[in-house]
Amino acid sequence: MSPARDRPVSVAVVNDHELIVRGVASMLTPYADLVRVVELDADLMPVSPVDVALYDTFTHTSLDEPDLDDLAQSPRIGRLVLYTWVLTEELVVTARARGVHSALPKSLDGASLAAALVKVHEGAPHLATVPDEPVMASQSWPGRDHGLTPRESEIIALVTSGLSNNEIAERTYLSINSVKSYIRSAYRTMGVTTRSQAVLWGIDHGMAPTRMRVLLPPTPAEKTTVGSSSAPEVRERDG
C-alpha cells in the first residue's frame, strides 16, 4: 500500500540502547517532509501505530531475539525494517522467515535513509549487503566519544551484557579471533586489562541496555486533528 500523499511516513526506532535510537532519530529529523519519527523504543514494543518500525541491530545482529517476532506480528506496524551492518545469506533467509520486509545499511546518510524508508513503505523490497567494518552515518554509538569504533562498541556492549567470546562471535557473525582482536583493541582504548574492568567501564559509559519509550510530539496538523500535547512524553524508563 502506498503512503498517504498528504503526510510523511511514520517511523518507530527500536533498539536496546537509548543513544542508538536517539542518534537515528536525530539523523532523520531534517527530512520530516518524508518521514517522521513518532516513537523511540529501547527494550520496549512500540505502542503507536506506525508505517515502519526501524529495528537497529546493534548487539542483535544474529536476529535471535524474541522481540523480533513480536514486532513482525504487531498489528500496529506496517513494515518491519532491519537497520544493520551485517547481512549474510543466512541472515537474509532468517530475516525473511521471521517477517522482515527490508534491510537497510547503516552507511546510508539521513537523506538516503529517509528516501529508502519511503520506498519500503511503498512496497519496494530492499535487502542490502554491507561491509565487515561498519560505517554508521548517525555518528552516534556508546563509547564513540572515548574513541571506540562502531564494531568495538557493539562488542563491548555484549561483554557488558555478560556474553562470552563464543556467544559474541555467534551473535555478530564474526570469527572468534576477530572478536578477541576487537576486544583487545577496545581494552587499549578504554584503558582496562580485565573483563570485569571492561564490564564496569561499559556500565559507566552507557553500554548496558536501557528501557525507555519516548513518544515524539505531533505536528501542528496532527495536533489539530487529535488534540495532543506538543511535549514529548516519556512513557516508561528504567535506569
Side-chain angles (χ1 to χ4, degrees), residues 86-162:
V86 175
L87 202 59
T88 64
E89 183 177 350
E90 177 186 354
L91 206 64
V92 168
V93 172
T94 301
R96 285 174 171 160
R98 296 184 67 176
V100 172
H101 293 91
S102 301
L104 300 172
K106 292 189 178 185
S107 56
L108 293 176
D109 60 21
S112 299
L113 178 59
L117 289 172
V118 171
K119 290 180 180 178
V120 167
H121 179 46
E122 291 173 341
H126 196 304
L127 287 167
T129 56
V130 289
D132 290 337
E133 181 58 38
V135 176
M136 292 179 65
S138 71
Q139 294 296 298
S140 180
W141 59 85
R144 176 181 179 271
D145 292 343
H146 298 274
L148 293 183
T149 68
R151 183 64 88 187
E152 289 169 349
S153 174
E154 182 182 40
I155 298 300
I156 296 303
L158 292 169
V159 168
T160 303
S161 295

